[in-house]
Amino acid sequence: MPRFVTSDNTALHYYDEGTGRPVVLIAGYGAPADSWAMQWATLRAAGHRVISLDRRWHGQSDRPAGGQRIARHGKDLHEFLTRLDLDDVTAVGASMGASTIWSCVSLFGCERLAGIVTLDQTPRMVSGPDWPYGFHGLTAENLGAFFLRPDAVETGRGRAWPDPAAVDAGIRRAGGRGMSRLITGDTYPLLFDHACQDWRDVVAGLTVPALIVAGADSQFWSSEHAGATAVLSPLARATVVPEAGHTVHLDRPEAVARLIAGFAATTG
């Protein structure tokens, strides 16, 4: 089981298979690296070294007392790319995984990256007059307590969430360990910090191409966020995946694998 140790002595687990230009996959809040299993075979067949990272407190990685902030996750990603000496990387982030990539770029620029793919993550989660594409119902006034509500993720919008048993079975068939969720309430500071961020300036300053993907029927926000985000950078473009919610790569696994492979073929 490959692991690497960060500068603050946290061991992070990852999967690493295949050869060729690297694709690094980073899952969202609560999701393990195994959640990418249904993309692995297609990406390897397209000639990629496929690496899936478990962020701290996720999957099989350590759960340290500190580091419950997106900046630390971004630093972890940079240390990971450096430790494995990865260059010409297509970095793919789903939900909070996308924010991890934006954090890494904010801190270290696009060093070692050839391109970025984000899956259904608006760059600003708080809605306001200049950005109406945030989390449904989340405003500057209720930000402090919003995610403390048990029903916060149940916005009543978008498509039905995928059946957990079916997703777990699909991941296991594809070679993963299943959709284990070991996340706990200890990570609320991380979720809150995630919700406070505004990555629009990071997108505007990109020096590598980016593909901003939205689920057409996301439970969390309007799919229009993708187009609005892509407008911020001449190097970015947007696409909306039909028949998909927030968990785009679980709702449409093969379509997302082809999107990533197709995008990676145009970079580097």
Side-chain angles (χ1 to χ4, degrees), residues 5-192:
V5 179
T6 67
S7 58
D8 68 345
N9 203 37
T10 299
L12 303 185
H13 163 265
Y14 62 97
Y15 294 105
D16 186 353
E17 295 186 349
T19 58
R21 289 180 56 211
V23 172
V24 175
L25 305 166
I26 307 157
Y29 182 64
D34 302 80
S35 63
W36 294 104
M38 291 185 282
Q39 281 74 48
W40 290 344
T42 296
L43 293 174
R44 289 197 303 265
H48 292 289
R49 178 181 174 184
V50 183
I51 304 166
S52 304
L53 175 65
D54 270 327
R55 293 181 290 120
R56 59 180 62 211
W57 273 85
H58 288 70
Q60 301 173 69
S61 289
D62 283 356
R63 289 158 171 73
Q68 298 287 9
R69 62 188 64 85
I70 295 297
R72 179 67 241 191
H73 287 233
K75 183 174 173 62
D76 287 347
L77 175 58
H78 180 260
E79 291 180 1
F80 179 71
L81 299 178
T82 302
R83 184 73 55 83
L84 271 64
D85 195 23
L86 299 174
D87 286 305
D88 204 22
V89 172
T90 298
V92 183
S95 192
M96 190 185 285
S99 290
T100 298
I101 296 171
W102 298 137
S103 174
C104 181
V105 171
S106 177
L107 292 168
F108 304 102
C110 292
E111 178 184 342
R112 297 184 177 271
L113 301 182
I116 296 166
V117 181
T118 64
L119 301 183
D120 208 55
Q121 179 58 53
T122 181
R124 177 172 168 79
M125 289 175 61
V126 177
S127 294
D130 68 333
W131 189 257
Y133 312 111
F135 198 105
H136 296 309
L138 179 62
T139 66
E141 290 71 30
N142 66 11
L143 175 60
F146 187 83
F147 289 108
L148 292 176
R149 292 177 11 221
D151 64 339
V153 299
E154 300 299 335
T155 64
R157 307 198 191 194
R159 66 189 278 116
W161 291 96
D163 175 58
V167 168
D168 190 74
I171 288 171
R172 291 180 184 279
R173 284 195 300 270
R177 288 162 47 101
M179 193 67 172
S180 59
R181 291 182 178 274
L182 299 177
I183 208 77
T184 72
D186 297 294
T187 60
Y188 174 74
L190 174 64
L191 182 60
F192 177 73

